[in-house]
Amino acid sequence: METDETPTEWLRAVLSLTVLAIVAEGETYGYVVAQRLQAAGLGTVKGGTLYPVLNRLEDAGLLTSSWREGVGGPGRKFFAVTPEGREHLATRTAAWHSFTERATGLLPTERSTT
Amino acid sequence: MTTDGTRSDYQQRLILALRLKDVPGDRIGEIVAEVESHVAETGEDPVEAFGSPRQYAASLTAEHRPDPKWVTAVSLVGSGLAGWLVAQGGLAVLLGESYWGQSGWLWLGLGLAIGVPGGVSVWRRSTRVRDPRTGGDLEPFSPGGLVVLIGSPIVVVLLAFAAIKIFG
């Protein structure tokens, strides 16, 4: 789950919001969400971490899920965002940006550390 | 739903681990189907992707407090007492004798009064593990198990009755 420079707790803090953002782009299922997170450079998120996050979002009413038949294999559980999920994503994204800006304001610039 | 028609060892152990954590049957079905679907898609080893069945079940139920130990102790003692009273009462009724100076029916009734509520609560907790993809059962229902559960005490009482009639 951890890339070279990224501590695990950073990912833990932002995983739920990034997963919500991926599903908000379009209905999708667990494996694709994991691939998207990896492609974005957030590292490998294992099934044992990802599905509890998806289910918590669903329990909170931010996502809905439905099983669809797979081709030649077991079905896939598709997740879709709810209107509440979209609203939550917008407010939390704004909060995340202001939070990271404040943190960045405290940190030395990259040039000054080298 | 697996290709060879049998549920893998991992899934069976996961069902058991979730059962032991008192997770409702429908929820267990969802969790097991998610694991199956993910593993089929990625080709990963389930232990690698989700951890051992016990670990995964524990992580999913971390916020959920299981019943305290005394509840288990009381239900074990209660079911033992109920079985004993039903057997003694039943035997007394069959032999037409009294037991501890009271009619066999009284002991039989008392045993049922203690045992039935416990039995109902166990039955309620043992909801079906439904596969959300097919609506079928993930755990095959075993009529044999039910026959053994209900039949064996009856057989024991009847054997005791027969033995007393023959040798008594």
Side-chain angles (χ1 to χ4, degrees), chain A residues 4 11-12 27 37 49 51 63 66 68 78 85 103 110:
Chain A
D4 287 344
L11 180 60
R12 207 175 297 143
E27 203 181 21
L37 289 166
T49 308
Y51 289 93
L63 300 181
S66 59
R68 309 246 178 90
F78 277 82
E110 234 174 309

Side-chain angles (χ1 to χ4, degrees), chain A residues 4 18 24 27-28 39 43 49 60 66 69 71 83-84 86 88-89 95 97 103 106-107 114:
Chain A
D4 287 344
T18 49
E27 203 181 21
T28 187
T49 308
S66 59
E69 216 165 300
V71 185
E84 294 79 34
R86 264 187 212 292
H88 183 88
L89 178 63
H97 285 308
L106 279 174
L107 299 176
T114 49

